[in-house]
Amino acid sequence: MRIDVVSASAGTGKTHRLTEELVKALLDGSARPEGVVAITYTVKAAGELESRIRARLLREGRADLAARVRDGYLGTIHAVCQRLLRESALEAGLSPFLEPIPETERRRLFAVAVAAVVAGREGELNALARRLEIEDWREPLLAIVDAARSNGMDAAALTASAARSRAGLEALLDAASADGGDYLAALQAALAKLLPKLDELAQGTVKDDKERQRLARGLQAAIDRGQLPSWKSQVQLAAKVGTRKLAPFAGELIELVDGHLGCAAFRGDLTGMQRALFELAGQALQVFVEEKAAAGVIDFGDMLALAVELLGRPAVRAALGARLDLVLVDEFQDTSPLQLAVVGGLAALARRSVWVGDRKQAIFGFQGSDPELMTAATEAALGDRRPDLLSTSRRSRPPLVELCSSLFARALAPHGFPAEQVELTAADPDPAALAGQPAFECWRWSRAKAEVDGEKVTPTEAAAVADGVARLLADPPRVRE
């Protein structure tokens, strides 16, 4: 087993590198088409890689190999796992017609799992969600369950994670300075001072005055019902009444709301919701798995977990070990812990693996990926070796490449990125047609009032951007194909 790692910044030809690695292995016989695993992170990228491989093999006069490209495992991580599970369905005790369930059905089964564990806590959660303005607390609950699943965590691991999460949350909050009762009394007094003025102004025709009154009346209505108004609505009102004409009336409310991070009631709401969601997630995690198993269905997270389990079975490992020659992984920086377990399991069985990625380009954090995994996995795979760096940009002009390299190298250095992983050189010089043409331009946004339709207005950022785009379209820059 050998693992090579390629660090490839944007535009440096990583797809070309993957294509060349695969084509070379097929041509020299070190890999058979059916012994190749090529993992990408989007369906589009898989299609592009397959197209390039076929075209390259055809140029080499190897139509036989081009026709057999799909004999290997080429596709997204989920597509590869799906095929592995189908081929070993009997060993895994699964149907060979394995398909992930639609999201609507997955959510329905999750709702069933939540109903089984919520045990009368809906009132508590609904009240917390109202004050924190969380539309549906089941959404973050599902996000926690999915994150735990993608990290291969069980209920015990989730409990430990909950404690670390709560400690991190509390470290962001101010020290408690007021209890809920005192805060509510102070809010009521501040509103009593502000509301008459807002009611007076709302008699006019100014839209903002009516909006301020609406927000303030909403807060007062909640207090009249014996409830603490939502924290977001308090912050919104404080932001809107910070005008010069309202200063004598709104000062107390603004000062109070500005310090709400130190209110014990706010801290209690945040930590209470965090604690409740993690407790429920720990209980719902296994119930959700059982509900899907009872229904005979799986989701994408299950597919990864089952593939990891499958790759640990001796019979499957023996069969794949005799077959796998080359494992290629694109966008390795977007690998989640569970996906890394799949990739690592395949790499352990193959003769050679090539992982290509760039942790500066991580975009799949919402799926549980963490670019730091790339660093840890790379160090473990390479040992004393260093990753191969692709550092020639094939997308941009030399002045722009130099500018971005300089800016990014300085900005990323404090975050542990060595300059050689950031700085690029342009592959081609500027053509004569672009000589002397600027490589970038700056649109300056002036806040000075300008006359529009006979009225003095302060330009907004949106208007400034729109104006810049209009001028760019009217006089477009010259580009190189």
Side-chain angles (χ1 to χ4, degrees):
M1 177 189 78
R2 177 184 173 88
I3 299 175
D4 294 318
V5 179
V6 180
S7 178
S9 295
T12 56
K14 64 180 178 61
T15 305
H16 174 78
R17 174 62 177 269
L18 285 171
T19 301
E20 290 301 307
E21 291 279 359
L22 179 48
V23 170
K24 180 178 181 296
L26 292 175
L27 292 176
D28 67 20
S30 61
R32 301 155 292 175
E34 64 273 15
V36 172
V37 176
I39 296 173
T40 66
Y41 278 82
T42 66
V43 174
K44 180 180 178 181
E48 180 184 356
L49 181 61
E50 180 182 349
S51 177
R52 289 196 186 194
I53 293 167
R54 288 184 187 277
R56 182 77 170 77
L57 289 170
L58 290 172
R59 287 200 301 271
E60 294 291 333
R62 296 301 304 270
D64 58 325
L65 291 175
R68 294 169 57 198
V69 166
R70 292 301 294 182
D71 289 351
Y73 303 80
L74 197 158
T76 64
I77 183 75
H78 293 104
V80 169
C81 289
Q82 183 179 44
R83 180 169 168 185
L84 286 170
L85 291 169
R86 282 177 172 174
E87 290 179 348
S88 303
L90 293 179
E91 292 90 335
L94 299 168
S95 167
F97 303 103
L98 199 63
E99 289 287 346
I101 57 174
E103 181 63 15
T104 52
E105 177 64 8
R106 190 176 87 97
R107 288 178 175 272
R108 186 190 71 78
L109 290 172
F110 180 70
V112 172
V114 171
V117 301
V118 72
R121 298 182 67 179
E122 296 95 331
E124 169 201 354
L125 288 160
N126 289 338
L128 286 169
R130 178 189 62 77
R131 292 195 296 274
L132 295 170
E133 292 214 9
I134 297 173
E135 187 172 341
D136 184 355
W137 51 265
R138 293 168 187 81
E139 289 296 321
L141 178 61
L142 177 57
I144 294 172
V145 169
D146 284 343
R149 195 82 169 112
S150 68
N151 282 274
M153 299 168 69
D154 57 15
L158 193 56
T159 299
S161 177
R164 293 192 298 271
S165 172
R166 186 158 53 254
L169 173 62
E170 290 173 344
L172 296 174
L173 301 175
D174 297 340
S177 58
D179 65 27
D182 291 343
Y183 184 92
L184 186 59
L187 181 63
Q188 171 70 78
L191 277 173
K193 183 175 181 179
L194 175 61
L195 262 173
K197 185 61 177 180
L198 295 183
D199 290 339
E200 175 191 329
L201 294 173
Q203 300 304 312
T205 59
V206 178
K207 184 177 180 180
D208 284 348
D209 288 337
K210 296 182 182 297
E211 175 64 11
R212 294 185 187 101
Q213 183 201 40
R214 184 190 68 79
L215 286 171
R217 282 294 169 192
L219 264 63
Q220 185 61 57
I223 293 173
D224 291 343
R225 294 193 299 270
Q227 298 175 340
L228 185 64
S230 78
W231 301 99
K232 182 178 178 180
S233 64
Q234 296 177 48
V235 172
Q236 287 177 328
L237 177 61
K240 286 186 174 293
V241 296
T243 63
R244 185 178 303 173
K245 66 181 178 182
L246 289 173
F249 309 93
E252 293 176 12
L253 182 134
I254 292 173
E255 183 179 359
L256 178 70
V257 174
D258 280 351
H260 78 280
L261 295 181
C263 175
F266 177 71
R267 295 169 64 95
D269 283 349
L270 273 184
T271 56
M273 177 61 86
Q274 188 268 357
R275 182 179 289 104
L277 289 178
F278 270 89
E279 287 174 358
L280 283 176
Q283 299 167 25
L285 184 62
Q286 185 58 35
V287 178
F288 189 29
V289 172
E290 292 169 357
E291 286 292 337
K292 287 180 287 185
V297 298
I298 65 169
D299 60 19
F300 286 109
D302 298 325
M303 191 176 292
L304 293 170
L306 289 169
V308 171
E309 180 185 335
L310 188 70
L311 290 172
R313 300 191 178 197
V316 174
R317 291 175 60 83
L320 287 175
R323 177 177 181 178
L324 296 185
D325 300 319
L326 177 64
V327 174
L328 302 174
V329 183
D330 191 12
E331 308 291 5
F332 184 62
Q333 75 278 353
D334 286 316
T335 303
S336 72
L338 208 52
Q339 290 168 350
L340 179 60
V342 173
V343 170
L346 292 171
L349 301 175
R351 299 179 187 176
R352 181 173 177 242
S353 295
V354 180
W355 299 343
V356 180
D358 175 19
R359 59 193 180 111
K360 302 189 299 299
Q361 298 182 65
I363 61 173
F364 282 92
F366 62 91
Q367 291 186 0
S369 69
D370 182 349
E372 291 306 314
L373 279 175
M374 178 180 179
T375 302
T378 295
E379 291 174 352
L382 294 180
D384 295 334
R385 294 181 293 139
R386 295 177 63 82
D388 188 5
L389 298 177
L390 300 185
S391 56
T392 302
S393 173
R394 305 180 186 280
R395 289 185 182 170
S396 301
R397 299 174 53 194
L400 191 57
V401 172
E402 292 168 10
L403 171 71
C404 291
S405 291
S406 175
L407 290 176
F408 292 166
R410 294 186 186 186
L412 292 173
H415 302 283
F417 290 85
E420 62 266 22
Q421 290 185 13
V422 182
E423 295 175 343
L424 304 178
T425 56
D428 301 305
D430 270 346
L434 289 179
Q437 296 289 322
F440 70 99
E441 64 178 60
C442 176
W443 299 347
R444 298 195 179 277
W445 172 26
S446 172
R447 291 180 178 271
K449 288 192 174 182
E451 188 169 314
V452 178
D453 297 330
E455 182 180 356
K456 289 284 188 178
V457 297
T458 301
T460 64
E461 182 179 4
V465 173
D467 181 61
V469 171
R471 287 187 282 110
L472 190 66
L473 293 174
D475 183 21
R478 302 187 66 173
V479 297
R480 179 180 69 205
E481 289 291 343

